[in-house]
Amino acid sequence: MKLLTASLLTFAWPLAAQAEIIVTDPWARASVLASRPSAAYLTLTSDAPDRLLEVTSPVAGHVMLHGVATDSAGVTRMVHIEELDVSPGTPVTLAPGDSHLMLMDLSRKLEEGESFPMTLVFEGTGDVTVDVPVLGPGAMGPTEERP
Ligand SMILES: [Cu+2]
């Protein structure tokens, strides 16, 4: 009887509304100095509501999720975001000038042409690891002031 219950539970799992996140076009900017943070960008698509909780990478001591906010004086600043909601049918794009993943405490310089792994932890989907190509340091996006 115990065995039957267990197998029924296993069978029921795929029928639950499990989110599946698709990560497209990840990339990061080459860093000028290892002592300066870099930024990574990507697009998230999900077929169920999900939430990005945490991001880690072996090249960064800490990965922060940043958004941008413009104050009444027209000054754009980066703001820390705790969690990022992903709704089905609405891709979330992290791009220069908008939300981004801030790669803090780099263990080394990110060189153009290389790539590094980055793991995104979602509430529903769990861990998703992507390979992030490093593109040129091109000055697209907001001024990256160290917080
Ligand atoms: Cu930032």
Side-chain angles (χ1 to χ4, degrees):
M1 194 57 196
K2 219 169 198 172
L3 186 67
L4 179 64
T5 310
S7 60
L8 279 174
L9 277 174
T10 307
F11 183 72
W13 261 111
L15 301 175
Q18 238 355 39
E20 188 177 348
I21 287 279
I22 296 167
V23 180
T24 43
D25 298 331
W27 66 281
R29 271 200 301 234
S31 50
V32 182
L33 294 165
S35 59
R36 298 279 302 157
S38 187
Y41 311 98
L42 42 77
T43 297
L44 303 174
T45 313
S46 182
D47 58 10
D50 207 341
R51 186 173 291 154
L52 178 61
L53 303 176
E54 192 187 359
V55 182
T56 61
S57 174
V59 301
H62 192 54
V63 181
M64 294 179 81
L65 181 57
H66 278 171
V68 291
T70 305
D71 67 18
S72 53
V75 179
T76 300
R77 286 192 178 81
M78 301 193 296
V79 290
H80 179 60
I81 300 170
E82 287 292 336
E83 299 170 342
L84 181 67
D85 287 318
V86 186
S87 304
T90 309
V92 175
T93 300
L94 307 186
D98 206 333
S99 305
H100 54 276
L101 298 168
M102 204 80 191
L103 307 170
M104 314 293 291
D105 304 322
L106 291 175
S107 57
R108 56 182 173 80
K109 234 177 107 171
L110 298 181
E111 302 279 0
E112 185 174 353
E114 68 161 332
S115 65
F116 61 88
M118 190 165 71
T119 300
L120 296 91
V121 182
F122 294 93
E123 193 175 75
T125 304
D127 292 9
V128 178
T129 299
V130 291
D131 192 50
V132 183
V134 178
L135 306 183
M140 313 165 59
T143 307
E144 302 287 1
E145 296 290 345
R146 185 151 200 158

